[in-house]
Amino acid sequence: MKELKTNQPTDMVNHPAHYTSGNIEVWDFIIDQDLNYCRGSAVKYISRAGKKDDAIQDLNKAINFLKREIRRLETGR
């Protein structure tokens, strides 16, 4: 059952609004999928794009994490 949104203040530590706009929280997805730091960070920035900061900035951050992950896989480091 999905909780109804209220006008209660957002819990910025445990449930920030920019990570809780869907049916599951981003960190629950990242943990469930056992994503490493770079992959999890990319998902985090994609999911919050335009909800906290500038969407383009968030998407560029996601790209940077994906590039680091690709470089790690290509070089083995």
Side-chain angles (χ1 to χ4, degrees), residues 4-5 10 13 15 17 19-20 23 25 30 32 38-39 43 50-51 56-57 60 63-65 71 73 76-77:
L4 297 175
K5 299 283 182 182
T10 299
V13 173
H15 306 288
Y19 294 133
T20 59
N23 291 325
E25 291 189 46
I30 291 168
D32 180 70
C38 287
R39 293 177 190 197
V43 168
K51 296 175 187 159
I56 293 172
Q57 182 182 50
N60 278 319
I63 289 168
N64 282 336
F65 278 107
R71 188 168 50 247
L73 292 170
R77 300 189 272 144

Side-chain angles (χ1 to χ4, degrees), residues 18-19 21 26 41-51 59:
H18 52 280
Y19 294 133
S21 63
V26 175
S41 295
V43 168
K44 174 184 80 166
Y45 283 113
I46 290 167
S47 70
R48 82 169 207 186
K51 296 175 187 159
L59 294 173

